[in-house]
Amino acid sequence: MFIEAEVDAVLLDMDGTLLDLHYDNHFWLEFIPQQYALKHQLSIEQAKHHVYAQCNKVMGSISWYCYDYWSDTLGLDIHALQHKTKHKIQLRSDTLWFLDKLKQANIPTYILTNAHRSGVALKMQQTELTPYFNKIISSHDYQIAKENLRFWSAVKEEIGVDFSRCLFIDDSEKILKVAENAGVGFLRGIATPDSEKPAQEMQAFKSIKYFSELF
Ligand SMILES: [Mg+2]
């Protein structure tokens, strides 16, 4: 794949692709169970057991990504709590280099994220990435997660690109498969979404550690 010659637009996941997934993993797997334990007078282990069980019920659906759903389900104000750990929101190592490169090449660039609008706003405020994108699309705008083909039809309608000439990068192999089914021509995974975890393997897609591997 030669980006400048073959790609009309670049579609990018946000968490784990542009941003270090460590923030989200820490927030949902550690910080939220701690807050739940405090509120309901439970041990951390009990709170984790409860929170993780609730997560498993809705994994991959729009609710799983929805701050309002979690605020109701856990009785915690997720919108407010996300600010308490915002210092952990970080770019992946060569995100800025990559976005500058796309800008120089005049390639339209979009974020396609399952993150709730409230999370997108905080992350863009912390990282100042907004000017790099033609549009930032959250699956909450359509109430259909990226795991669903209907999300991709809605995106196609909204931005009017030929998917066969698009590059999509995401750290989720499951979502890459759906994008492939939707007709996206070039697909890459992220091998190291969380800077504090070992690299992940993908079965069906090439995965990169650094965006420079694309050029
Ligand atoms: Mg992701």
Side-chain angles (χ1 to χ4, degrees):
M1 171 191 63
F2 297 97
I3 291 191
E4 285 95 337
E6 294 177 278
V7 171
D8 289 347
V10 175
L11 315 174
L12 298 166
D13 170 48
M14 184 175 73
D15 300 322
T17 297
L18 295 169
L19 308 187
D20 190 341
L21 196 61
H22 176 64
Y23 166 83
D24 306 274
N25 281 338
H26 171 266
F27 184 77
W28 291 104
L29 301 177
E30 305 297 331
F31 182 72
I32 288 300
Q34 278 166 23
Q35 297 301 308
Y36 189 80
L38 280 174
K39 171 147 189 176
H40 299 277
Q41 312 257 300
L42 300 171
S43 69
I44 290 289
E45 287 68 31
Q46 287 171 320
K48 280 187 174 174
H49 183 79
H50 178 78
V51 172
Y52 296 177
Q54 295 298 315
C55 287
N56 284 334
K57 283 190 200 166
V58 289
M59 199 173 274
S61 74
I62 196 75
S63 296
W64 156 253
Y65 302 103
C66 182
Y67 284 14
D68 300 322
Y69 174 84
W70 289 113
S71 295
D72 290 346
T73 303
L74 301 176
L76 297 170
D77 184 348
I78 304 294
H79 298 277
L81 287 172
Q82 65 169 344
H83 288 267
K84 303 229 172 188
T85 60
K86 68 181 178 187
H87 58 281
K88 284 186 171 284
I89 297 171
Q90 302 288 345
L91 299 175
R92 287 187 61 257
S93 64
D94 63 346
T95 292
L96 273 187
W97 175 87
F98 180 49
L99 293 175
D100 276 325
K101 186 121 178 137
L102 294 174
K103 203 162 197 74
Q104 282 158 21
N106 263 319
I107 300 174
T109 303
Y110 299 85
I111 286 184
L112 305 185
T113 180
N114 272 326
H116 190 272
R117 276 287 170 197
S118 167
V120 174
L122 178 64
K123 284 165 176 170
M124 289 300 117
Q125 184 192 314
Q126 291 298 106
T127 59
E128 302 182 332
L129 287 188
T130 306
Y132 285 99
F133 304 102
N134 294 65
K135 204 166 226 178
I136 297 174
I137 295 175
S138 161
S139 56
H140 296 263
D141 302 347
Y142 315 133
Q143 288 298 306
I144 312 163
K146 283 158 69 180
E147 285 85 338
N148 191 314
L149 265 179
R150 286 187 298 131
F151 167 83
W152 296 88
S153 320
V155 168
K156 204 174 194 174
E157 197 161 306
E158 179 156 356
I159 65 177
V161 290
D162 174 359
F163 272 170
S164 71
R165 292 183 52 87
C166 285
L167 164 64
F168 174 58
I169 310 176
D170 200 298
D171 62 307
S172 160
E173 181 157 19
K174 192 175 169 196
I175 293 174
L176 286 167
K177 283 213 170 86
V178 183
E180 184 175 50
N181 290 337
V184 176
F186 304 98
L187 299 145
R188 291 291 184 276
I190 295 287
T192 47
D194 180 332
S195 63
E196 308 219 353
K197 286 195 176 160
Q200 61 173 357
E201 298 274 333
M202 285 200 183
Q203 303 303 315
F205 300 96
K206 282 186 199 164
S207 60
I208 54 171
K209 282 187 180 164
Y210 300 102
F211 292 114
S212 54
E213 294 164 45
L214 295 165
F215 294 88

